[in-house]
Amino acid sequence: MDAHETAEVHHSPSSWQQPCPQPASAERTTLVEEIAERVLALSPGRLLIGIDGFTAAGKTSFGHELAERVAKSGRPALRATLDDFKNPWRERHLYDRESGEGYYRNAYAYETAKRLLLNPARSPEATSCALCSIDPLTQEDHAAQTTLLAPGSVLIVDGVFAFRPEIDAYWDFRIWLDVDAELSVRRGAERDQNWAGSDAESIHRDRYLVAERLYLKEVDPLPRMDAVVDNRDFARPKLLTS
């Protein structure tokens, strides 16, 4: 991969951002490179990659790392997260979004994600897409801010419920990051203390975890994965299936 001229990684304009992590270990670098090579071998044309797993499983970090490796191959990489395609928070009074089941049923705007992001990326005629609809923190609308789609672009999208029936057919390669439920709650509560305060653990246990278990029961996405990665130890991830 490194013999090619590095292409650009295009990121969402959302304020819900985190940087690409520094290399944690040789083992992690090798695993990310292996998956990047498998992705790039699929086709020289546009590719759509989905990354799913429990909240705080490390999906965004893995997506950033994978995008960096893809870009080093010379292929443009685009990064998006489904959290940037949620229904506007101002409309939450119209439906239940705060219980576990309500979050699963109502939080995400799949039609918007298809219209702005997934349909353009899948269409050979489209030359741009939006990497963000509504900023989840500021609620600013970024739908008009578009990013170039080159013929060989690789779009990498992370998010819970990425393989729901509404959008499952879009993906060329599906990745599941595996962590246990209690680790998900603990990591998520630590991460979100700044905005959720003392409610952080209950939000993760009673809303997000309930929603994710409902998703697993209804959709059963794991049998369709192209790669399942044990991401409990960030420095020593393990490829469980390939």
Side-chain angles (χ1 to χ4, degrees):
M1 283 190 184
D2 294 317
H4 298 81
E5 183 178 349
T6 299
E8 190 172 355
V9 178
H10 302 272
H11 288 273
S12 165
S14 170
S15 63
W16 182 248
Q17 287 279 6
Q18 64 188 63
C20 184
Q22 294 297 314
S25 65
E27 296 100 314
R28 187 170 185 87
T29 298
T30 298
L31 185 145
V32 172
E33 289 177 347
E34 178 182 341
I35 292 180
E37 288 169 2
R38 289 177 57 197
V39 165
L40 293 168
L42 292 173
S43 168
R46 283 188 201 156
L47 294 169
L48 278 69
I49 314 305
I51 304 174
D52 202 343
F54 279 175
T55 298
K59 299 181 294 297
T60 300
S61 291
F62 194 89
H64 288 347
E65 292 169 291
L66 184 59
E68 292 288 337
R69 295 308 306 170
V70 166
K72 285 182 178 179
S73 78
R75 299 272 294 272
L78 283 68
R79 282 288 292 117
T81 176
L82 291 176
D83 281 340
D84 291 340
F85 293 89
K86 285 182 172 178
N87 288 307
W89 188 244
R90 65 178 179 273
E91 297 176 1
R92 65 191 181 279
H93 65 285
L94 300 176
Y95 48 81
D96 170 23
R97 180 169 160 175
E98 298 186 50
S99 71
E101 181 161 359
Y103 187 80
Y104 176 62
R105 307 280 180 210
N106 302 315
Y108 288 87
Y110 295 106
E111 291 303 316
T112 301
K114 289 192 284 188
R115 176 172 54 86
L116 296 177
L117 177 68
L118 301 176
N119 284 338
R122 182 52 70 207
S123 171
E125 294 80 23
T127 57
S128 65
C129 66
L131 298 179
C132 178
S133 173
I134 303 294
D135 187 309
L137 295 182
T138 68
Q139 293 295 287
E140 183 179 353
D141 189 341
H142 290 285
Q145 188 171 341
T146 59
T147 298
L148 177 68
L149 277 168
S153 292
V154 179
L155 171 64
I156 300 169
V157 183
D158 68 84
V160 293
F161 321 143
F163 308 123
R164 279 180 58 150
E166 292 91 336
I167 57 174
D168 184 57
Y170 285 90
W171 311 116
D172 297 300
F173 196 91
R174 296 169 177 82
I175 302 168
W176 183 270
L177 294 189
D178 189 58
V179 301
D180 60 78
E182 285 304 313
L183 180 57
S184 165
V185 170
R186 186 167 70 250
R187 281 183 183 174
E190 291 172 357
R191 182 192 68 191
D192 294 341
Q193 283 235 320
N194 285 344
W195 67 267
S198 60
D199 293 330
E201 181 174 345
S202 64
I203 289 172
H204 279 268
R205 189 177 303 281
D206 301 330
R207 182 187 303 171
Y208 299 155
L209 185 57
V210 170
E212 288 152 7
R213 283 175 166 159
L214 181 59
Y215 168 56
L216 291 178
K217 180 179 179 180
E218 286 197 358
V219 176
D220 190 24
L222 283 166
R224 301 194 301 282
M225 296 303 104
D226 297 290
V228 176
V229 177
D230 180 340
N231 205 42
R232 290 170 176 82
D233 184 341
F234 194 82
R236 294 174 179 80
K238 299 174 183 175
L239 190 59
L240 300 179
T241 64
S242 59

